[in-house]
Amino acid sequence: MRRSGVDRSDVFIETKVWVADYGYDETLHAFDKSAGKLGVDVIDLLILHQPMPQHFERTIGAYKALEQLLADGRVRAIGVSNFMPHHLANLLKETTVVPAVNQVELHPYFTQPDVQAANAEHGILTQAWSPIGGITFYPGYGDERRSVMQDETIKAIASAHGKSPAQVMLRWHIQQGRSATPKSVNPGRIAQNFDVFDFTLNDDEIAGIDALNTDVRLGPSPDDVDPSTWGLEIPED
């Protein structure tokens, strides 16, 4: 991106603090690590990766470090990821700045309406990870999984608009006011992911996609796992 000549002000950089770097001083250092690796002085959005309720005092310390980075102008916005409504409530009791973003698993098969409602109540933007249901078809995630990309409802809507199922799902997020973070290393698919502003889903199509929700989480539950036990450390360089 630096070689492309695109102005820095036209690039929005978001990254996360992993749980091994939670705690006030540790998170300040995590910012230095990330900014150094990215080659920037300011990160546009810095979020916590998990609520980690088993060690929530470290989560609070990490978020207070984000608040300090925001006050110092080293980040432009702060947020969280995988926070359920009770995690948000506990965070807001102990901190001052309301998160700008809560990034959660959200795709047509798992829409988390309670989380979306809690975010909206506090003025927090819901950001979807796995927005096109990648977690429903990742290799090794279980043969019993049903790929949302192959869902007949979404395929029919895509065909009606001359778009791909992925484009339909991204448009679904956008029209409902969410941020979506699709992942791809394929240049053609990356270009497709941007090409979602020349069509509009009608109310029946939106409702049809909403109705696909199964309320089944496919990623790990933030209350049932302790990610600090996974042994994952973020290297210094």
Side-chain angles (χ1 to χ4, degrees):
M1 294 183 75
R2 189 172 288 111
R3 289 194 302 269
S4 74
V6 173
D7 190 88
R8 170 67 181 91
S9 63
D10 292 328
V11 178
F12 191 91
I13 298 175
E14 174 183 357
T15 190
K16 297 180 179 180
V17 179
W18 177 240
V19 298
D21 289 324
Y22 278 17
Y24 186 83
D25 291 335
E26 294 88 344
T27 297
L28 292 178
H29 181 64
F31 167 85
D32 291 334
K33 283 196 291 185
S34 290
K37 291 176 184 179
L38 291 165
V40 298
D41 296 321
V42 177
I43 292 173
D44 298 293
L45 174 61
L46 186 60
I47 67 177
L48 301 184
H49 201 293
Q50 296 278 343
M52 201 167 67
Q54 303 86 354
H55 312 281
F56 205 64
E57 71 287 349
R58 288 175 56 199
T59 304
I60 295 298
Y63 193 81
K64 288 183 175 180
L66 296 191
E67 291 181 316
Q68 187 61 55
L69 291 166
L70 181 66
D72 292 342
R74 302 171 77 188
V75 299
R76 294 194 171 96
I78 61 176
V80 295
S81 182
N82 300 305
F83 273 54
M84 302 298 101
H86 56 285
H87 303 136
L88 280 175
N90 290 335
L91 180 78
L92 293 173
K93 289 176 186 175
E94 304 290 337
T95 57
T96 302
V97 179
V98 176
V101 164
N102 184 15
Q103 185 189 93
V104 295
E105 178 187 346
L106 207 161
H107 46 79
Y109 286 173
F110 189 56
T111 60
Q112 304 215 66
D114 291 345
V115 172
Q116 292 196 64
N119 290 345
E121 178 185 351
H122 295 292
I124 299 169
L125 176 67
T126 298
Q127 185 176 74
W129 64 258
S130 193
I132 57 175
I135 198 167
T136 67
F137 54 81
Y138 288 159
Y141 270 58
D143 293 338
E144 76 287 354
R145 296 204 170 184
R146 181 165 55 110
S147 169
V148 69
M149 203 74 80
Q150 299 301 319
D151 187 272
E152 293 301 325
T153 295
I154 293 175
K155 286 168 67 176
I157 295 171
S159 178
H161 289 278
K163 293 291 185 178
S164 71
Q167 288 171 313
V168 165
M169 285 184 271
L170 291 173
R171 186 68 200 174
W172 169 70
H173 286 291
I174 290 167
Q175 285 188 218
Q176 294 189 320
R178 291 185 293 275
S179 169
T181 57
K183 176 184 180 297
S184 179
V185 297
N186 181 298
R189 293 196 188 107
I190 292 170
Q192 277 190 352
N193 289 342
F194 282 108
D195 187 23
V196 294
F197 297 101
D198 60 350
F199 74 107
T200 301
L201 302 175
N202 63 41
D203 291 344
D204 288 342
E205 290 168 334
I206 291 284
I209 298 173
D210 287 344
L212 298 176
N213 180 40
T214 65
D215 282 328
V216 176
R217 181 189 302 278
L218 295 178
S221 167
D223 282 319
D224 295 340
V225 299
D226 181 354
S228 69
T229 66
W230 295 351
L232 176 61
E233 301 285 337
I234 305 302
E236 292 294 317
D237 50 35

